[in-house]
């Protein structure tokens, strides 16, 4: 039973990952946002709307190098989703902020995630939701540790 359950969990995770990527692409990359990719929208999400972030902060959040991110940023800037601003305190520091167009894309993407989370926790008790959260924390910890090991 345990073996079958673990196999079933693995199959479910693989299917979920594929469905999420596919659905996110279809839900987020609409006619209005046809000029960006799923990768672009995740960069927009990493930039966020709360406070300006520099390239190092964004690259760290996405687990990519600054040089890799720079290429994507150039494209997003050209398309009008982001702009770069120099820090008033330290002119060497450049922050990336979302334009109005970028903020609209951010909220559009966030709405997809809100719908997805609502569907996930629908009909779950508070206790079941907590168990789900802990399972996802365990998965996240595993993925982060594997990612760190692969960097070394």
């Amino acid at each position: 039973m345990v073996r079958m359950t673990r196999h079933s969990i693995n199959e479910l995770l693989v299917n979920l990952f594929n469905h999420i990527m596919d659905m996110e692409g279809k839900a987020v990359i609409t006619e209005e946002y046809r000029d960006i990719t799923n990768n672009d929208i995740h960069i927009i999400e990493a930039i966020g709307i709360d406070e300006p972030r520099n390239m190092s902060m964004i690259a760290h959040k996405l687990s990519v190098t600054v040089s890799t991110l720079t290429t994507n940023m150039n494209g997003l800037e050209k398309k009008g989703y982001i702009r770069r601003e120099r820090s008033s305190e330290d002119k060497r520091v450049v922050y990336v902020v979302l334009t109005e167009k970028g903020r609209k894309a951010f909220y559009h993407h966030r709405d997809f995630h809100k719908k997805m989370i609502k569907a996930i926790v629908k009909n779950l008790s508070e206790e079941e939701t907590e168990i789900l959260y802990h399972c996802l924390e365990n998965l996240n910890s595993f993925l982060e540790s594997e990612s760190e090991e692969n960097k070394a």
Side-chain angles (χ1 to χ4, degrees):
M1 178 73 174
V2 170
R3 179 171 258 249
M4 180 181 229
T5 303
R6 289 180 184 204
H7 177 74
S8 300
I9 289 171
N10 181 65
E11 283 187 358
L12 183 58
L13 285 172
V14 170
N15 287 336
L16 285 170
F17 175 79
N18 290 331
H19 285 305
I20 289 170
M21 294 304 290
D22 184 51
M23 289 299 298
E24 187 173 49
K26 289 176 182 169
V28 174
I29 310 304
T30 61
E31 186 63 28
E32 184 176 0
Y33 301 105
R34 69 184 177 280
D35 60 341
I36 57 174
T37 65
N38 242 3
N39 189 49
D40 290 336
I41 203 74
H42 288 119
I43 293 169
I44 288 169
E45 179 184 39
I47 295 167
I49 56 171
D50 298 326
E51 59 189 47
R53 293 196 167 110
N54 64 33
M55 291 287 284
S56 296
M57 294 165 76
I58 299 164
H60 177 75
K61 189 168 185 170
L62 294 168
S63 299
V64 298
T65 64
V66 172
S67 60
T68 298
L69 186 59
T70 299
T71 304
N72 296 94
M73 288 297 188
N74 292 339
L76 286 170
E77 187 172 37
K78 216 177 276 183
K79 296 171 191 172
Y81 287 92
I82 64 148
R83 73 175 176 276
R84 294 174 169 114
E85 296 178 350
R86 291 221 175 263
S87 167
S88 55
E89 292 90 39
D90 184 347
K91 297 295 180 195
R92 297 172 295 176
V93 177
V94 177
Y95 290 108
V96 178
V97 295
L98 297 178
T99 62
E100 185 58 35
K101 184 178 181 181
R103 291 172 76 81
K104 279 182 65 181
F106 174 90
Y107 287 120
H108 178 65
H109 183 242
R110 188 179 70 175
D111 288 346
F112 168 76
H113 281 265
K114 281 183 173 182
K115 288 178 191 173
M116 184 173 60
I117 298 305
K118 186 177 180 181
I120 291 169
V121 298
K122 184 176 106 179
N123 300 325
L124 293 183
S125 69
E126 191 172 319
E127 182 181 353
E128 290 168 324
T129 302
E130 284 184 36
I131 292 169
L132 173 62
Y133 180 80
H134 290 298
C135 291
L136 294 173
E137 272 186 321
N138 290 342
L139 176 60
N140 188 58
S141 294
F142 167 76
L143 294 172
E144 284 180 351
S145 68
E146 286 293 309
S147 177
E148 286 302 315
E149 284 181 26
N150 289 332
K151 287 181 186 176

